[in-house]
Amino acid sequence: MDEIKLSQRIVRGEDLYTEFKLWPLHVNSLAETLVAFANTDGGQLLLGIDDAGNIIGVEEPDRTMRTVDNVAYNNCEPPLTVRQETVPYASGALVVIVNIPKGDQRPYRTNTGRYTVRTTSGRRPASRQELLRLFQASEHMYFDETLLSQTTRADLDSRAVERFFAQAQGYTLEQLGLSLERVLTNWKLAQLHHEELHLTLAGTLFFCDQPQYFVPYAYITAVRFTGGSPDRDPSDRKRIEGAMPRMLDDAMRFLNIHLPVRHDIHGMTPEIHLELPPDALREVLVNACAHRDYTIQSPIRLFIFDDRVEIRSPGGLPNTIT
């Protein structure tokens, strides 16, 4: 980076990808800053610039860069590799630019146990939800494979599994020649624990007759409001429960009841069409159920207004997606 580009960067100020710091900096604070960038989308730490964008400079750039390298390696877990450069300014001051990549072993933490993430105004401790998402993104944890130890073989709807398998594979379990338990284990819908079969979260949501007994918040609240605001009393409200396929069917049924339809006449036969495409509505419902954050104890909300349909899925967008 040259002086002109540095000046342009300073004028833009601090943001999600850029932070200004004066030097010297306490090693714990430096480690937390490096970890925050690595846990988010990466970025640049500009040393020798105050919060107002004034260039103060770094007196010993070589020593500064050695310190940054040592902190990145020794005070960050797993160790970070950063790339550094110095930029001379017209006033004679030297700025050290630390380029921190988005980490490929997230989540990172400091050697004092601090997990941090970037925000537009600096850094903050990572929330439980963000940590879970980071672990999921790094393939260290899949929440849908979490074992629900209170479930047993008796809670499983075997016929639902057999129907699903036949529909998905085109042949039956009997033709496959594997036991139901083996198939569920292979699909990571169940696990054998102390010789007892227990369902995972995904297995419970799909193949328990009443999964809400084990995951009370895994349901859909469907509401029809008159007008365009939720301030009025609803004209209809339904709590949609049951296994995942049944919930999707019941939610579509609720939409079919309350959405306006148009009638097209072709010859002597009328054709009825929903105001919104059923394929699009089902896709949004499937996404809400499949990609919601099941660590948050809140239901999916389906709101129908006179002018729109809203489907609200618990949880923010994963990690750093905007």
Side-chain angles (χ1 to χ4, degrees):
M1 181 181 293
D2 57 26
E3 181 181 338
I4 296 176
K5 290 183 178 178
L6 175 62
S7 298
Q8 293 171 343
R9 173 60 60 84
I10 294 172
V11 168
R12 292 202 300 269
E14 294 180 304
D15 56 24
L16 186 67
Y17 306 99
T18 311
E19 184 163 354
F20 305 153
K21 288 291 185 186
L22 291 176
W23 191 261
L25 189 62
H26 193 280
V27 292
N28 288 343
S29 178
L30 176 58
E32 290 181 15
T33 299
L34 297 177
V35 162
F37 276 114
N39 277 337
T40 315
D41 264 349
Q44 291 184 320
L45 173 63
L46 278 59
L47 298 176
I49 303 175
D50 65 17
D51 291 338
N54 299 310
I55 297 178
I56 309 302
V58 173
E59 292 185 0
E60 300 178 272
D62 290 339
R63 184 176 179 181
T64 299
M65 289 191 288
R66 284 196 302 270
T67 300
V68 172
D69 280 333
N70 288 335
V71 170
Y73 187 81
N74 296 307
N75 296 68
C76 300
E77 301 174 356
L80 286 170
T81 300
V82 299
R83 181 173 56 83
Q84 301 185 72
E85 58 183 313
T86 58
V87 179
Y89 211 66
S91 62
L94 282 171
V95 174
V96 173
I97 300 176
V98 185
N99 297 280
I100 308 104
K102 178 180 179 179
D104 55 6
Q105 299 184 64
R106 298 181 299 167
Y108 292 82
R109 69 174 188 175
T110 68
N111 62 343
T112 59
R114 299 270 292 174
Y115 292 90
T116 53
V117 293
R118 285 291 299 170
T119 68
T120 53
S121 58
R123 68 173 188 270
R124 60 170 171 76
S127 67
R128 177 177 179 273
Q129 176 188 348
E130 287 167 328
L131 278 177
L132 287 169
R133 291 290 183 91
L134 286 169
F135 276 114
Q136 290 170 7
S138 64
E139 301 185 354
H140 292 153
M141 183 188 74
Y142 297 96
F143 196 70
D144 55 342
E145 296 175 13
T146 303
L147 190 68
L148 301 187
S149 57
Q150 66 270 42
T151 60
T152 67
R153 175 71 171 77
D155 299 308
L156 183 68
D157 185 347
S158 301
R159 292 183 179 179
V161 180
E162 292 169 356
R163 288 194 300 270
F164 181 86
F165 185 88
Q167 184 179 11
Q169 302 296 103
Y171 49 87
T172 65
L173 287 175
E174 185 178 357
Q175 291 172 320
L176 178 65
L178 291 178
S179 68
L180 179 65
E181 289 78 6
R182 179 65 181 275
V183 170
L184 290 172
T185 303
N186 288 349
W187 282 1
K188 298 184 179 180
L189 298 172
Q191 295 179 26
L192 280 172
H193 188 64
H194 299 308
E195 299 184 357
E196 176 69 43
L197 189 75
H198 300 284
L199 300 178
T200 62
L201 175 67
T204 302
L205 293 175
F206 271 87
F207 299 121
C208 271
D209 185 56
Q210 194 64 27
Q212 288 73 29
Y213 180 81
F214 304 102
V215 193
Y217 50 88
Y219 64 93
I220 300 173
T221 295
V223 185
R224 173 64 169 105
F225 290 104
T226 302
S229 170
D231 297 338
R232 299 182 180 182
D233 290 335
S235 59
D236 192 12
R237 179 193 297 268
K238 183 175 179 60
R239 179 180 170 124
I240 299 174
E241 296 184 337
M244 187 75 71
R246 195 174 84 201
M247 282 204 303
L248 290 170
D249 287 342
D250 287 349
M252 282 300 299
R253 193 170 295 111
F254 190 87
L255 287 164
N256 285 326
I257 291 171
H258 291 289
L259 283 179
V261 295
R262 75 170 192 270
H263 294 75
D264 294 335
I265 305 298
H266 296 281
M268 299 297 292
T269 306
E271 292 184 1
I272 299 175
H273 300 279
L274 278 181
E275 186 178 45
L276 297 173
D279 288 348
L281 292 169
R282 177 168 283 274
E283 181 71 14
V284 177
L285 283 171
V286 168
N287 284 340
C289 291
H291 301 305
R292 62 154 291 173
D293 188 342
Y294 280 97
T295 68
I296 297 177
Q297 298 189 17
S298 177
I300 295 167
R301 291 177 169 83
L302 165 61
F303 294 158
I304 302 177
F305 300 92
D306 286 355
D307 58 350
R308 68 191 186 280
V309 171
E310 293 183 8
I311 298 176
R312 303 182 182 183
S313 180
L317 294 169
N319 301 328
T320 59
I321 293 176
T322 60

